């Protein structure tokens, strides 16, 4: 039954998630028709008019630019019908490029933020953005939604005995800290060093804490190639840890990442449906709908 004044448009990268959000908002759901030309151009058709608040849901996992363009097209269309266009980008690509790390680097996040505003977005929602600093580039209201409590609910059901939460990178330690607090256990952060020229990763040091025999939950915002988690696994295994689980919000799992992570020794990967994958065991539609309402 449609009782709220919401129309939810599901982009092709987030069809199922958008449907679930629409249901939770008690809104109307629209699935645009999409044609992809041989050169990769997308043609989108929506043969319906709409009014009230419009919510567009489109993640920007690979193909990142193509999914981003689709989001921009949908926003610009929606803006003709409404002065309130909420844009949900569950996984926001380019969020890692939120500052100039090396001289001359273009701050891509800032350009994306400008484009979203320019085509008509009036508020942007993202889930577990890589760094909150990225949101400073938005000159329209923007909101980050944490999926950590939902991931923790899943891990509570696994009944692991005295697990240690490990963050493979100190930059994300606030997420691991929150995860361990909600799970009722402790955590450590590893010091990851990434060579900004080669992309190579190395774990250089760690807080001294006993990991021997303990099951580990590696917590990160995203897994892309799996390189960060694999380095962490090597490090933890040398210290004689127990089983290793991986929890992340966005499982991009590029190329053979999933196979490589399993081969390295990760027993189970748990992610959310910000990026639809086999590992997406946690649904974020509820927390997104709650923030929109
Ligand atoms: C970076 O700092 C992020 O938090 C992730 O740790 C990273 O992007 C994961 O990438 P990959 O899986 O390729 O190591």
């Amino acid at each position: 039954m449609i009782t709220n004044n919401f129309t939810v448009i599901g982009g092709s990268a987030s069809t199922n998630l958008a449907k679930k959000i629409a249901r939770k908002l008690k809104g109307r759901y629209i699935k645009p028709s999409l044609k992809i030309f041989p050169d990769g151009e997308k043609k989108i058709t929506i043969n319906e008019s709409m009014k009230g608040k419009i919510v567009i849901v489109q993640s920007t996992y690979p193909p990142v630019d193509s999914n981003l363009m689709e989001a921009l097209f949908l926003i610009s269309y929606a803006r003709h019908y409404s002065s309130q266009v909420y844009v949900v980008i569950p996984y926001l690509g380019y969020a890692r490029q939120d500052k100039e790390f090396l001289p001359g680097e273009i701050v891509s996040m800032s350009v994306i933020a400008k484009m979203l505003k320019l085509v008509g977005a009036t508020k942007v929602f993202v889930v577990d953005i890589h760094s909150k600093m990225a949101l400073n580039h938005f000159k329209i209201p923007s909101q980050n939604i944490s999926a950590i409590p939902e991931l923790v609910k899943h891990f509570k059901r696994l009944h692991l005995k005295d697990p240690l939460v490990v963050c493979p990178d100190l930059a994300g330690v606030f997420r691991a800290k929150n995860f361990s607090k909600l799970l009722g256990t402790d955590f450590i952060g590893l010091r990851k060093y990434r060579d900004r020229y080669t992309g190579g990763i190395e774990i250089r040091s760690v807080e001294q804490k006993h990991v021997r025999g303990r099951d580990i939950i590696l917590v990160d915002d995203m897994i892309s190639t799996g390189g960060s988690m694999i380095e962490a696994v090597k490090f933890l295994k040398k210290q004689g840890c127990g089983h290793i689980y991986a929890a992340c919000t966005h499982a991009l799992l590029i190329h053979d990442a999933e196979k490589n992570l399993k081969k390295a020794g990760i027993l189970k990967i748990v992610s959310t449906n910000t990026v639809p994958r086999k590992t997406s065991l946690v649904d974020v539609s509820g927390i997104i709908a709650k923030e929109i309402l």
Side-chain angles (χ1 to χ4, degrees), residues 96 130 169 192 194 201 220-228:
R96 287 178 292 179
H130 175 64
D169 182 358
K192 177 175 93 174
R194 188 188 285 272
I201 297 163
D220 212 344
D221 57 330
M222 60 188 284
I223 302 175
S224 180
T225 62
S228 306

Side-chain angles (χ1 to χ4, degrees), residues 58-78:
Q58 170 76 340
S59 235
T60 57
Y61 55 83
V64 177
D65 294 343
S66 174
N67 283 333
L68 177 66
M69 285 309 293
E70 190 178 328
L72 296 172
F73 296 150
L74 293 172
I75 297 164
S76 102
Y77 180 86

Side-chain angles (χ1 to χ4, degrees), residues 8-24:
V8 179
I9 306 178
S12 65
S14 298
T15 309
N16 288 333
L17 180 59
K19 256 189 235 164
K20 286 184 175 152
I21 293 173
R23 220 173 291 138
K24 292 191 166 109

Side-chain angles (χ1 to χ4, degrees), residues 1-8 22 24-29 50-55 81-86 292-293:
M1 192 183 44
I2 297 170
T3 55
N4 267 330
N5 200 14
F6 283 107
T7 297
V8 179
K24 292 191 166 109
L25 292 176
K26 297 191 169 52
R28 173 178 167 222
Y29 173 71
M50 50 195 91
K51 56 183 177 28
K53 291 178 193 149
I54 303 180
V55 180
Y81 290 95
S82 175
S83 58
Q84 280 177 294
V85 178
Y86 293 173
I292 291 173
L293 279 169

Side-chain angles (χ1 to χ4, degrees), residues 122-189:
T122 57
K123 183 162 184 182
V124 174
F125 298 85
V126 284
V127 182
D128 283 324
I129 193 158
H130 175 64
S131 88
K132 295 223 175 103
M133 238 182 73
L135 288 183
N136 294 339
H137 293 291
F138 286 90
K139 303 298 175 229
I140 50 174
S142 60
Q143 194 168 333
N144 182 56
I145 302 164
S146 172
I148 295 294
E150 300 304 303
L151 284 161
V152 169
K153 277 184 205 160
H154 181 93
F155 274 88
K156 275 192 173 158
R157 290 196 290 270
L158 298 184
H159 299 293
L160 304 181
K161 200 174 152 272
D162 191 29
L164 176 67
V165 173
V166 179
C167 176
D169 182 358
L170 285 184
V173 91
F174 65 98
R175 271 185 288 263
K177 193 172 172 185
N178 187 25
F179 193 111
S180 67
K181 195 170 142 214
L182 294 171
L183 193 63
T185 185
D186 50 348
F187 78 98
I188 57 169

